Amino acid sequence: MKKYIYLTTLLCTILLISCEDFLDKGPLDKLSEAAYWERASDAEYAVNGLYECFYELDGGGYWSPGGAPYLDVCTDLIYLRNSWEFGLMPFSDGSMNSDNGWIYAFWSKKYQYIRYANYFFENVDKVKNLMTDDEYKNLCGQARVVRAFCYLRLVQGYGDVPLVKETLGTDALPSRTPATEVMDFVLSELKLAADELPETQSDDAHGRIFKHVANAYAARAALHYAGYYGKTEHYQTAVDALSQIVGSGQFELYEKNSDLVNNFNEIFWAANEGKENKEIIFSDQFIADKRPNNISTCFAGTGWKALQATQACIDLFECTDGWQANGIQFADMNKYRNTKNLSSPLLGKSAKYDPLNEFTNRDPRLTATFFHPTISTTGGTISRTGEFWEPANATFSPDRDNDAYSFKKLVDPTNFNPVYYYGNSENNFPLIRYSDMLLLYAEALNEAGISDPLGKTPLFYVNAVRDRVGMPAIVSSDPSEIREIIKHERKVELLAENVLMWDYMRWKDYEKTMPNGSAFYGYRRETYGQESVLFQTKLKTYPKYNLWPIPTAEMRNNKNMKQNTGW
Amino acid sequence: MKNKQRPKNERLGLNRLMTLVFLLIIFVSHSIAQDRSRRVEGVVSDTKEPLIGVTVNVKGTTIGTITDIDGRYTIEVKKDNDTLVFSYLGYEPKEIIVGTQTIINVSLSESNKLLDEVVVVGYGTQKKSSMTAAITTLNPNEITNVPRPNIYSALQGRIAGLTVTEATGDPNSSPTLLLRGKGTIDGDTSPLILVDGVPTANLNQIPANDIEAISVLKDGAAAAIYGARAANGVILVTTKQGRSGDTKPVVQLNSYIGLQTLAQFPDRLNSYQYASMINEIARNEAVGSNKGNKYPIFSIHDMEMFRHGVTDDLHANTNWKKEGIRDIAPIYTNHVSVSGNSQLGRYYVSGEYMQQDGMVKEIDKRNRINLRANIVSDITNRIQFQFNTNYIRTNQISGGLADIFNVVLTTSPTIPVRYKDGHWGNTIFANGAHLSDASNVVQNITEYGPRDLYWHTFNTSGGLSYRPINDLTVKVQGTYQHSQSDSQEYNRSWIAWNPLTQSVGQSGPANLSERWTKEYKYDFQTTVNYEKTINKNYIKVLAGFSTESFRSDYIQGYRKNFINESLQELNAGDASTQTNAGGADQWAFASFFGRLNYAYDDRYLFEANFRHDGSSRFAPSKQWGTFPSLSLGWNINKENFMKDITFIDKLKPRVSWGQLGNAEKVGLYLWFGGIDSGPYYNFDGNQVFGTRPSDPENRELVWETTTFYNAGLDGSFLNGKYTFEVDFWKKNTDDIILTIPISTVIGSSSSSQTVNAGKVASHGFDISVGTRGNLTKDFTYDARLSFTAWNSWVVDLKNRASAFSTEYRPGDDFGNYYGYECLGIINDEATLSAYKKIENVSPYVDLGDLQYKDQNGDGRIDYMDVVKIGNWNTKKNFGLNLNLGYRAFDFQIFFQGAFDVDKMMDGATRSTGTYGSSDTNKFDRWTEENRNADALYPRLRRQYTHNTDVLSSFWIKNASYVKLKNLQIGYNLPKPVLSKIGIQNLRFYVSGTNLFTIAPDFLKGYDPEGDMRTDIYPTLRVYSFGLNLQF
């Protein structure tokens, strides 16, 4: 019997020893931290992992192949055809609450990338001596821009937000940091990044962060800081950053096609996104099949036409002779107009305006931005045949269940050749465009009331943008009129580029453009003796709607978090 | 590189084991060889079959043994005049003088006392009378003739304590099993299933005819021997073996053919009803000047055409159910087995072919092949070799069938199947213009695939059992499971045709994705059993260890733009579009376990179990956990004072305590952290590597522990005429491995972390009551009612359960629906204007909308007003089985039901306005004309979500039901006739499954066991005809 006991003991001992490593089964397809941060490429890969944060199609939630730039739905310009398609829609119509999924996704995605960036800074020094100083600074600069961008967006959306500069433990319950402190951090980081980063991009398609990307975000941050928080001294910060971009001589407006309409439309085409396109400074990168976007499908897909313009937006486009020639005040156009009661501002003022042919003799950007609906009437029946658009080789008949205008801007012809591909656009989405920078520069100079280090007037830059599309130059010496001119120019130039919503926020123009109870209509049926169709009534109260609510998910789990006023 | 490390340990276990086993064998053989006593062996049987667990003693000594699962015994005797005593509960004992015999086969005759069953328990068998734990066994004969390909469906309602939910009829999915409530959250709550002692996930693919016994281990005492994986209960299945008495081969054939139909399906709208409803929605949406328009979407002309049934490309009246769904679909199964005892040993060889067509036309097909060979062979008198092998191959279309039903239910009837020019109809037109796109089910079916999913599994198990001395058995078993699946999904190119413009609106290219997966699993176990009876003391000891290791790998590829639709392999796609992916997983598990049984005089019963488990799912220092159990039983009927109370055959109270773990729910590498990598971005049109830190790991994770208490009473009266088993149980789970929300500012992608936190508790009872007997000489009956009741609730779940959570709340039951309490449909202006004054109410609310209650009276409707409005867990259910026999006829009637359960309307059944079609339930709605505040639906709206976005009590329905699950009538051909043609047994039967459902409060057309959604495969009703043949 003793022998059995010995044997069993022996057996168990052997097994116990063998079990020690028998149970050692880590993942087979995942790097361990111990094996990382050993090569210079490890730092480079970590930076590559950050770029996804710039994806704000679909409103800035999590990346999924299927997004389009929806954010301008939150302005008075754009109407969302299908209310369920975009989570921030309730912010547009006034039925928002803190449970909103996009509010949560926008917030948590930014903090996720902030964690990735913080993790990078905590580890990058482990491989610092494996690369040159320039390589090291270049990587740090890119990560710094990413982190600053995330914070800028958080402040723009939510106001005071927790400022986190290192990776937190899972039991942390951070509280809100005053927005001024966060903005100071953002500005100082972007300044540091601009010094660290190289003068030019290392890739041909404007995908890599370089010096002027840092400058551009610094300018946007400074203008938000100055506009929303009244820190007017930061107009100077913006001027400093923008004068570097404008003064560098590296960028110019795209003018390859002599046809003014096509030229503007083609800026955004996949075919034109190489190094020779000097207007695009920075863009979100897409490739067909592997990482496509869905803009062309959302904008122009059969039956989709998700993002549409109301008549209020169409009325913002001047005739080719310009509003100043017709005595139309920009300030009047930068506030809410009831297009059902008010006729076109051009009616009876511009000889070039034909109410039956809205798209003729207009700013070329109108035809470049929207498909011509080709409205006609016979015996009281209105019909819309829609524009035949050569590049797409297909007829875009506007859907007849509503009265809106559908987007052509950002629709890429490669989606339609040879057949129409669903959800597979490869055109990069512009994140920073030179015309935007010129207009921001004009705005900063005008607001700061200081002389341009490059020796020009604010309107010089506005007129440069207008001149590219053949619109007449504007003359004014009144800073408050120039402000309205710039706002207007941004609206027609930058529609659907996820820029205008942030402009409205820093201008605090929501109340002016979408007062509580304001109504928005489709195309002007009054022209044909009918009544315009109401699309949307915006029941928004202010100042509540000047900021988003902090997501309920955070409020529920973090006792240190305070909600924004009114939410 | 650490991540490249190959799993070097996979074979180590085997090598070591085999070496040790041989050592053991040599060593023990040597010691036995010195024993001069002689051996007697034989088989003990009754008139029909071998008896398992018969006690064989040498009279007047302590030498004794019991017969094995085949009735075999071997015993050592010293002298010729020794007497062997054979005793077995329920049989008359027998004494035989050995004499010079070496083989003594014995036939025992039944005593008038009740037959005692032998029950399969963890790593062995046990007499039912000596069991102290809560174990329920199922006679597989009850379920073999149920015309479903999956035995889970057949288990429903037959085992007290087991809740089986068959929410859909989808032949590609399995019902869910839940044993005694939910002891955990965030993870799988299905029981651990072992087939022939080996953990497996494939029970649902095994033919019912191959199954010899099913034991359900319900409490901590029964399950603790499976330790860390037993918290959800354990189901033990043994497959059939050849019987030693069958010296001639026994051939059995079991076949049926079934006709399947939908058990229920909602009625659809016709075109006129549909268009009227869409117009009504638009009127409800309209504001200002558009409000008065009676035909805002479909024109007068449209409506007239629909009303009169005039059809053209823009005005059809299509019955999509008829177009896409079959009225009747066949299923058939043929199962053949041959078994017996030959020179090779005892063998059982079987094969089954099952083919099932589903309800969707053309593409809803699957088939399965099962092959099995089980062999038990005696190498010497003391060494037995066992070999089980089986192979399963299934072939099916890889899913997506629920979508087809969704399309059938939601596509507008105004779309024709094909336009007159032959293009597929897939657009809704109204007033001569495009209104919305829609799916066409006939197009979906015609252009579907080909898609194929092949799944092969090969399972082989070899064991040696060695009996060095009479009371000691050493058993070594090794099992290798290999599974492989390959799926191919081809999507044809498609176009959306616009009949108005006569042009292609949209098109998509063909694409193909293929995925191959393979899995290996090694399982070794060694057990040592010692059993001894000394006077009135019975003692049995089990000790063992086991290891398991697993690895799976997959690889997949994709291309699109095919050169030609007739070529459907990856090579024929455009190489520039190709993508591929691959990955692998692994885990390992090691265990030591033991059991001690002690009984005094068969009256006082004691059992203790112990298990020590290690799992690779935890950080290296946290891998091991220990799970003990204790149980006691008392056979009161064997006490002297019960001698005169003869109507009681059996009365046994038992109590138990045990601790169990729940390991499988933990993700494989939660302790690991690490760095994620992938092609996260692209520059210059090329994807680049990116890395990101993974979500924070938790190296402190340990097992969660479920402590189980059980008290039961078994009784049997009047020679088994009445029987019952009752169990009351309670279980508490501590250290729940729980995903709790963390601050979103931390930046974890899931905004949550997995920790050991919190407690949940459950309690409940299981009752099984049976009666059987003869009404007349020819008329026999056997009825059994099983009833299960349980409840599980939150004790503490940290942040996961907060006062306003919509998932779990402290102290609340699991499965609660949380939502607004609906005060009804707003039907008067006064209510409306009062309601509109409440803060946070949508400013767009109007008459005909729902009114929610401001529970806390703070003048504001928000998350703090969300309360419990129902509970979706099936916590009370029953099954009633009646078997009746009259001469050559037999009847089986089986009812099953559940009550005190709610379900919510969801998806398309809750939606009140899309361009999708609806079912006729929506006739019962609030309209301007018919302001019915008690309607089933509020007013219909489209671009508006006040009524439907948030869950409210308005959308909760009582889902209590009773179903006639199975009705079977069989006829046995007379034996004298059959024996002339060499047939032992031939039975024909007809059966009906899911014949009717009573669910008075549920939404019409939907199964109360499932959900009120349109995107599920409805449950099936089956009429079948079959035969059981044996020769």
Side-chain angles (χ1 to χ4, degrees), chain B residues 805-810 812-813 815-820 866-870 951-952:
Chain B
S805 163
T806 55
E807 190 187 19
Y808 300 106
R809 294 184 177 184
D812 275 16
D813 296 343
N816 278 353
Y817 286 117
Y818 293 102
Y820 293 133
V866 167
V867 294
K868 177 193 168 178
I869 52 174
L951 181 61
S952 73

Side-chain angles (χ1 to χ4, degrees), chain B residues 594-655:
Chain B
R595 177 167 56 218
L596 169 69
N597 291 86
Y598 172 78
Y600 179 76
D601 196 22
D602 257 2
R603 282 183 291 164
Y604 309 111
L605 313 166
F606 169 81
E607 181 179 314
N609 285 281
F610 162 87
R611 176 111 173 182
H612 187 59
D613 272 333
S615 166
S616 64
R617 291 168 194 251
F618 299 98
S621 62
K622 305 280 182 186
Q623 285 166 339
W624 290 88
T626 302
F627 305 92
S629 79
L630 294 172
S631 55
L632 299 168
W634 179 26
N635 276 320
I636 298 179
N637 50 300
K638 293 194 177 166
E639 293 289 350
N640 278 335
F641 59 79
M642 294 291 284
K643 244 178 191 159
D644 300 331
I645 309 172
T646 51
F647 71 92
I648 299 179
D649 317 322
K650 182 170 121 182
L651 191 63
K652 181 172 69 175
R654 43 193 167 75
V655 289

Side-chain angles (χ1 to χ4, degrees), chain B residues 433-446:
Chain B
H434 171 280
L435 178 68
S436 181
D437 295 334
S439 285
N440 178 328
V441 73
V442 185
Q443 179 186 9
N444 290 357
I445 290 171
T446 313

Side-chain angles (χ1 to χ4, degrees), chain A residues 3-4 7 11-12 14-16 18-33 36-37 39 42 45-46 48-49 51-52 62 79 81-84 93-97 99 104 107-108 111-113 115-116 119 162 164 168-174 202-205 207-208 283-287 289-291 297 302-304 340 397 399-401 419-422 424 531-534 537-539 544 552-554 556-558 561 566-567, chain B residues 1-3 5 7-9 16 20 24 27-28 31 287 289-290 432-435 437 468-469 472 494 498 505-509 545 547-549 551 560-561 576-579 583-590 592 614-616 623-624 669 671-677 680-697 741-751 753 799 802 804-805 840 842-844 860 863 915 942-944:
Chain A
K3 287 172 183 169
Y4 300 128
L7 195 69
L11 208 119
C12 291
I14 291 168
L15 264 160
L16 273 171
S18 73
C19 282
E20 282 306 307
D21 61 339
F22 177 77
L23 293 178
D24 181 13
K25 306 263 188 214
L28 295 160
D29 49 10
K30 198 169 179 183
L31 299 161
S32 80
E33 275 195 89
Y36 207 66
W37 301 108
R39 295 167 187 77
D42 292 346
Y45 295 153
N48 290 345
Y51 271 80
E52 193 65 64
Y62 293 103
Y79 166 71
R81 180 172 176 227
N82 303 317
S83 61
W84 55 88
D93 75 2
S95 57
M96 180 80 171
N97 62 47
D99 289 331
Y104 166 76
W107 165 282
S108 59
Y111 274 112
Q112 205 178 313
Y113 282 83
R115 174 168 173 260
Y116 299 155
Y119 180 77
V164 179
L168 296 174
T170 50
D171 51 355
L173 294 174
S202 59
D203 70 321
D204 285 343
R208 276 279 179 202
S283 61
D284 198 2
Q285 306 286 296
F286 293 100
I287 41 179
D289 299 316
K290 300 191 172 72
R291 188 172 177 272
T297 306
T302 312
W304 280 56
K340 184 183 162 204
S397 68
D399 295 318
R400 277 173 245 192
D401 67 330
V419 287
Y420 173 56
Y421 283 166
Y422 171 91
N424 195 16
E531 215 177 337
S532 284
V533 174
L534 178 74
T537 309
K538 305 215 184 212
L539 298 169
K544 175 179 174 178
T552 304
E554 180 65 18
R556 233 185 239 138
N557 299 315
N558 182 353
M561 190 62 56
W567 293 106
Chain B
M1 287 287 284
K2 200 160 183 181
N3 62 324
Q5 194 178 48
K8 61 177 179 187
N9 301 316
R16 268 182 200 151
L20 288 168
L24 188 73
F27 174 78
V28 180
S31 65
V287 261
S289 54
N290 306 314
H434 171 280
L435 178 68
D437 295 334
I469 55 171
L472 186 72
W494 56 275
N498 185 336
Q506 203 171 355
S507 68
F545 61 87
T547 58
E548 274 176 77
S549 59
R551 175 170 169 140
K560 69 178 185 183
N561 298 343
S576 71
T577 64
Q578 68 189 8
T579 61
D585 273 321
Q586 58 175 357
W587 55 261
F589 203 82
F592 297 87
S615 166
S616 64
Q623 285 166 339
W624 290 88
Y669 321 113
W671 56 276
F672 187 81
I675 311 270
D676 295 326
S677 60
Y680 294 141
Y681 207 65
N682 40 277
F683 292 109
D684 278 334
N686 297 309
Q687 290 185 296
V688 292
F689 270 126
T691 62
R692 296 161 183 170
S694 305
D695 283 350
E697 75 275 17
I742 55 176
S743 168
T744 52
V745 176
I746 292 157
S748 158
S749 67
S750 60
S751 296
Q753 200 202 9
N799 293 354
S802 62
F804 303 116
S805 163
N840 218 25
S842 166
Y844 302 93
R860 180 182 165 86
Y863 67 94
Y915 292 140
R942 183 162 176 264
Q943 299 259 9
Y944 176 69

Side-chain angles (χ1 to χ4, degrees), chain A residues 211-457:
Chain A
K211 183 188 187 70
H212 294 304
V213 173
N215 281 327
Y217 281 114
R220 285 182 177 166
L223 283 167
H224 186 79
Y225 203 5
Y228 194 89
Y229 293 98
K231 300 278 181 186
T232 50
E233 66 271 25
H234 284 292
Y235 286 118
Q236 182 65 52
T237 314
V239 169
D240 294 344
L242 289 163
S243 62
Q244 290 188 56
I245 297 174
V246 178
S248 71
Q250 290 180 35
F251 312 107
E252 54 194 52
L253 296 174
Y254 184 85
E255 290 183 88
K256 297 270 185 285
N257 192 324
S258 56
D259 181 296
L260 295 174
V261 171
N262 289 348
N263 186 64
F264 186 75
N265 188 264
E266 288 171 10
I267 298 169
F268 308 100
W269 286 10
N272 300 323
E273 58 198 22
K275 226 175 176 63
E276 63 282 0
N277 185 338
K278 295 188 176 172
E279 177 160 350
I280 305 294
I281 298 173
F282 185 47
S283 61
D284 198 2
Q285 306 286 296
F286 293 100
I287 41 179
D289 299 316
K290 300 191 172 72
R291 188 172 177 272
N293 66 59
N294 200 27
I295 299 172
S296 297
T297 306
C298 287
F299 282 13
T302 312
W304 280 56
K305 299 183 176 66
L307 213 56
Q308 303 176 328
T310 60
Q311 187 63 39
C313 178
I314 302 301
D315 283 353
L316 284 180
F317 288 82
E318 300 162 83
C319 271
T320 48
D321 52 357
W323 281 347
Q324 283 198 325
N326 301 315
I328 299 167
Q329 294 298 312
F330 286 92
D332 290 343
M333 297 302 296
N334 280 333
K335 59 189 189 196
Y336 171 66
R337 295 178 73 256
N338 182 323
T339 57
K340 184 183 162 204
N341 301 333
L342 299 170
S343 56
S344 168
L346 296 162
L347 189 68
K349 294 202 171 143
S350 173
K352 289 179 175 284
Y353 177 66
D354 176 4
L356 294 171
N357 287 298
E358 277 271 16
F359 277 51
T360 52
N361 296 330
R362 296 291 281 274
D363 183 332
R365 286 173 290 192
L366 178 59
T367 318
T369 305
F370 297 103
F371 287 110
H372 194 322
T374 331
I375 303 169
S376 61
T377 175
T378 43
T381 308
I382 300 173
S383 66
R384 290 195 295 168
T385 49
E387 176 182 350
F388 184 82
W389 193 44
E390 195 69 50
N393 202 20
T395 302
F396 288 94
S397 68
D399 295 318
R400 277 173 245 192
D401 67 330
N402 74 27
D403 282 10
Y405 299 87
S406 329
F407 266 90
K408 181 157 83 179
K409 183 180 177 180
L410 291 162
V411 174
D412 195 284
T414 57
N415 247 259
F416 304 88
N417 193 10
V419 287
Y420 173 56
Y421 283 166
Y422 171 91
N424 195 16
S425 310
E426 60 180 353
N427 52 328
N428 296 335
F429 178 72
L431 296 169
I432 300 170
R433 195 148 71 83
Y434 189 48
S435 64
D436 178 14
M437 293 299 108
L438 291 174
L439 293 172
L440 283 186
Y441 194 36
E443 187 178 345
L445 289 171
N446 184 52
E447 298 295 335
I450 52 168
S451 65
D452 181 2
L454 304 174
K456 302 288 195 304
T457 64

Side-chain angles (χ1 to χ4, degrees), chain B residues 526-567:
Chain B
T526 299
T527 53
V528 180
N529 239 307
Y530 181 78
E531 189 174 16
K532 190 88 180 167
T533 306
I534 303 166
N535 300 326
K536 288 180 171 179
N537 299 288
Y538 167 82
I539 187 162
K540 187 174 168 187
V541 181
L542 164 82
F545 61 87
S546 69
T547 58
E548 274 176 77
S549 59
F550 172 90
R551 175 170 169 140
S552 73
D553 291 81
Y554 80 94
I555 183 163
Q556 70 179 42
Y558 169 90
R559 285 190 189 189
K560 69 178 185 183
N561 298 343
F562 277 67
I563 193 164
N564 184 314
E565 295 279 286
S566 66
L567 292 181

